[in-house]
Amino acid sequence: MHLTPATVRHRDAFLVMARDHRVAGADRYGRALEDFDVFLARILSQSRPSALPPGRVPQSHFWLLDDDQTRVLACGRLRHRLLPDLEVEGGHIGYDVSPAVRGRGVGTRLLALLLVEARRLALSRVLITCDDDNIPSRRVIEKNGGQPIAPTISPESGKSVRRYWVRTSQ
Ligand SMILES: CC(C)(COP(=O)(O)OP(=O)(O)OC[C@H]1O[C@@H](n2cnc3c(N)ncnc32)[C@H](O)[C@@H]1OP(=O)(O)O)[C@@H](O)C(=O)NCCC(=O)NCCS
């Protein structure tokens, strides 16, 4: 598996993954299906501090490709620093795996590769949060060395949120 910054080069593979999400009932990349170019321009602009609205931190988008680089298996987002609301929920890193390939170790590998990218940003540790009832995500974080800290309550969902510090070098 290979992590790449989001790029037009993998447009078709990304759209296959986006459709997999839609078919599975979570249309998280619906905007890409509507207009990929606008979607890509928007996510690429999120890494440029000059293009950000107040109260947002730069965030880089990465896609995980399979070995022959024909499929996008998963997506990751790396926020370059924290804000008080991200400390409650959101943290430095967010990720999702295509519903077509879950339960095969992809999420665990994705986070390991995102930690390498975090180290490149000189982050020695990252905060990662997940809903208390998201067992697969909890396992992904714990298998990457996550150390739990005090849980919080999500201001958005009212659900209990687990929070972990993860060192970027094991
Ligand atoms: C969370 C998510 C990224 C996990 O990706 P994945 O590729 O399925 O993860 P892995 O295959 O690496 O599995 C990680 C662990 O979760 C476990 N797991 C996977 N699916 C599971 C399920 N439905 N119920 C319980 N455990 C599950 C695996 O067994 C594995 O644990 P183990 O090593 O102890 O066996 C994926 O489910 C996803 O994209 N979910 C929707 C988005 C999301 O929740 N993102 C995280 C927000 S914090």
Side-chain angles (χ1 to χ4, degrees), residues 80-112:
H80 299 196
R81 58 189 168 83
L82 293 175
L83 289 172
D85 61 331
L86 291 171
E87 288 177 21
V88 175
E89 182 176 30
H92 283 101
I93 288 179
Y95 46 79
D96 48 79
V97 170
S98 169
V101 296
R102 286 185 191 162
R104 300 183 201 171
V106 172
T108 303
R109 182 75 185 132
L110 170 65
L111 180 54

Side-chain angles (χ1 to χ4, degrees), residues 7 17 32 36 54 70 75 77 81 112 120 124 144 149 151 158 169:
T7 164
M17 183 217 61
F36 179 83
T70 57
C75 301
R77 295 160 288 282
R81 58 189 168 83
R120 288 205 179 112
S124 60
N144 277 284
I149 59 171
S169 53

Side-chain angles (χ1 to χ4, degrees), residues 21 28 74 77 93-99 101-110 128-131 134-141 143:
H21 280 284
R28 63 175 76 230
R77 295 160 288 282
I93 288 179
Y95 46 79
D96 48 79
V97 170
S98 169
V101 296
R102 286 185 191 162
R104 300 183 201 171
V106 172
T108 303
R109 182 75 185 132
L110 170 65
I128 308 182
T129 75
C130 75
D131 286 352
N134 191 341
I135 309 291
S137 190
R138 279 166 51 177
R139 289 293 299 144
V140 163
I141 299 165
K143 287 200 292 179

Side-chain angles (χ1 to χ4, degrees), residues 111-133:
L111 180 54
L113 293 171
L114 289 167
L115 294 175
V116 174
E117 297 298 332
R119 194 157 63 229
R120 288 205 179 112
L121 287 181
L123 297 168
S124 60
R125 61 178 190 166
V126 290
L127 185 73
I128 308 182
T129 75
C130 75
D131 286 352
D132 188 57
D133 59 6

